[in-house]
DNA sequence: CATCAATCCTGATCGC
DNA sequence: TGCGATCAGGATTGAT
């Protein structure tokens, strides 16, 4: 399930395949999921960026001057969300949903469960994408500061709060569980103290930083799992401490990891290391 | 406004 | 071994 580290890895991997290329055509059969992607035809990719779990191809007129190095101005953004199972491939297959035809070859978007979405918009016009419009700071940027403690002090259950993308961007189910374990916080803890918020801040940065370095997490053997465009796996799944490890001993204290459901998501935590602090009213 | 549940999807896995 | 039921979950929408 692509979260920030997987999307960032995807960005880095497909950048050399798309940068400077002209998109000739975008083929698909689901206009509702891939809105206005026909507008990309005839435009050149001048850069690839990422915001949270969203990938953006910067598009400019094909005849615009070819700047070297820095990203040149663009007048359209081709936004891609990988959903649960989306990913780019060098060859088409059974689950190819979108084909990007370029002047330097084709790139295929595979998405078995069809949760992925695309849209072409004017830069920054995210009215139709409320989560992107209200996106919190990048966890690995200087915009993410410990002053998020002020927000955390007012927050409801901490895991759903993280998953909302508002306090910080790019955290999904896997990295929420891993960050909360590292911070020693119960998934349903509310109204974090300053100390708790500080621990969570550092845990999110640590987990996300290491996961990006590892190329993200690749889980399971099935087709629907995250892979890089060349079929390579990320490595961070080997560093998971709690996700997918219900019943196994906590790496820190040996207590069996508990599996539960929080906010309709499979949730893993150590009852010993991550106790729920009762509100003292 | 905040919280919660339903919805979209289909391959993998589980239970009998 | 087969087959139906269940699980997985990010973002959005609708309900409370």
């Amino acid at each position: 399930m692509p979260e920030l580290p997987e999307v960032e890895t995807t960005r880095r991997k497909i950048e050399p395949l798309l940068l400077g290329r002209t998109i000739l055509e975008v083929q698909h059969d689901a206009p509702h999921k891939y809105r206005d992607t026909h507008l990309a035809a005839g435009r050149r990719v001048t850069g690839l960026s990422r915001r949270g779990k969203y990938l953006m191809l910067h598009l400019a007129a094909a005849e615009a001057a070819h700047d070297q190095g820095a990203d040149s101005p663009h007048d359209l953004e081709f936004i891609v969300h990988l959903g649960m199972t989306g990913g780019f491939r060098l060859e088409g297959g059974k689950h190819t949903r979108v084909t990007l035809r370029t002047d330097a070859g084709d790139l295929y978007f595979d998405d078995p469960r069809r949760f992925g979405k695309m849209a072409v918009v004017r830069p920054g016009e995210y009215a139709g994408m409320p989560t992107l419009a209200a996106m919190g700071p990048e966890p690995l940027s200087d915009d993410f500061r410990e002053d998020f403690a002020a927000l955390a002090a007012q927050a409801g259950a901490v895991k759903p709060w993280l998953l909302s993308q508002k306090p910080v961007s790019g955290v999904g189910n896997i990295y929420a569980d891993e960050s909360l374990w590292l911070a020693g916080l119960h998934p349903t803890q509310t109204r974090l103290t300053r100390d708790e918020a500080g621990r969570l801040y550092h845990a999110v940065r640590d987990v996300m930083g290491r996961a990006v370095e590892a190329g993200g997490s690749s889980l399971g053997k099935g087709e629907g799992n995250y892979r890089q465009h060349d079929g390579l796996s990320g490595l961070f799944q080997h560093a998971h401490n709690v996700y997918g490890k219900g019943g196994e001993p906590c790496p820190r204290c040996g207590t069996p990891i508990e599996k539960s459901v929080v906010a309709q998501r499979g949730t893993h935590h150590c009852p010993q290391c991550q106790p729920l602090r009762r509100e003292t009213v």
Side-chain angles (χ1 to χ4, degrees), chain A residues 10-280:
Chain A
T10 297
R11 189 192 68 77
R12 294 178 184 181
K13 291 281 186 167
I14 67 172
E15 184 168 49
L17 304 177
L18 288 176
L19 200 55
R21 305 305 178 200
T22 297
I23 295 176
L24 303 177
E25 186 184 8
V26 182
Q27 300 173 326
H28 62 77
D29 59 2
H32 186 68
K33 292 176 184 292
Y34 313 117
R35 298 199 321 148
D36 297 328
T37 51
H38 62 280
L39 297 176
R43 289 179 184 268
R44 196 164 50 85
V45 179
T46 62
L48 287 83
S49 60
R50 180 194 54 73
R51 190 75 174 86
K53 305 172 194 172
Y54 292 82
L55 189 63
M56 285 88 166
L57 313 186
H58 303 184
L59 304 180
E63 55 275 11
H66 283 54
D67 292 347
Q68 298 293 329
D71 195 5
S72 53
H74 56 287
D75 58 3
L76 286 180
E77 275 183 20
F78 191 140
I79 300 176
V80 178
H81 194 294
L82 302 179
M84 291 287 302
T85 57
F88 289 97
R89 300 287 182 269
L90 296 177
E91 294 181 2
K94 183 168 54 165
H95 304 299
T96 296
R97 309 303 184 194
V98 180
T99 300
L100 284 182
R101 296 192 47 240
T102 84
D103 59 345
D106 298 344
L107 191 59
Y108 303 90
F109 181 71
D110 257 44
D111 187 17
R113 293 187 202 172
R114 299 179 185 266
F115 270 50
K117 286 188 171 68
M118 300 184 186
V120 171
V121 304
R122 285 205 287 261
E125 287 199 356
Y126 304 145
M129 311 157 103
T131 301
L132 181 55
M135 185 79 62
E138 287 292 318
L140 300 178
S141 79
D142 292 339
D143 295 332
F144 185 40
R145 301 192 184 87
E146 295 194 51
D147 65 4
F148 113 117
L151 295 173
Q154 309 296 327
V158 62
K159 179 169 175 177
W161 182 65
L162 281 177
L163 294 179
S164 76
Q165 308 300 305
K166 288 175 182 167
V168 60
S169 64
V171 179
N173 202 43
I174 296 173
Y175 298 109
D177 280 4
E178 292 298 323
S179 297
L180 291 171
W181 177 84
L182 191 58
L185 292 175
H186 192 281
T188 63
Q189 184 66 59
T190 60
R191 299 165 56 94
L192 303 192
T193 66
R194 177 158 281 279
D195 178 66
E196 289 169 341
R199 274 151 43 204
L200 181 56
Y201 167 84
H202 289 292
V204 168
R205 286 179 70 103
D206 181 67
V207 168
M208 291 304 227
R210 286 188 292 122
V212 169
E213 283 180 27
S217 302
S218 297
L219 294 173
K221 305 179 182 75
E223 298 181 66
N225 294 286
Y226 168 76
R227 288 286 184 283
Q228 293 159 28
H229 74 285
D230 44 16
L232 295 180
S233 295
L235 295 172
F236 195 70
Q237 65 275 16
H238 303 303
H240 290 179
N241 287 299
V242 289
Y243 185 83
K245 298 186 180 298
E248 297 182 32
C250 168
R252 201 159 41 200
C253 76
T255 303
I257 298 299
E258 221 167 82
K259 170 101 188 274
S260 62
V261 175
V262 174
Q264 298 172 289
R265 304 282 174 264
T267 297
H268 316 73
H269 83 286
C270 170
Q272 178 71 30
C273 297
Q274 301 170 256
L276 182 60
R277 171 176 54 75
R278 294 283 303 275
E279 294 291 341
T280 51

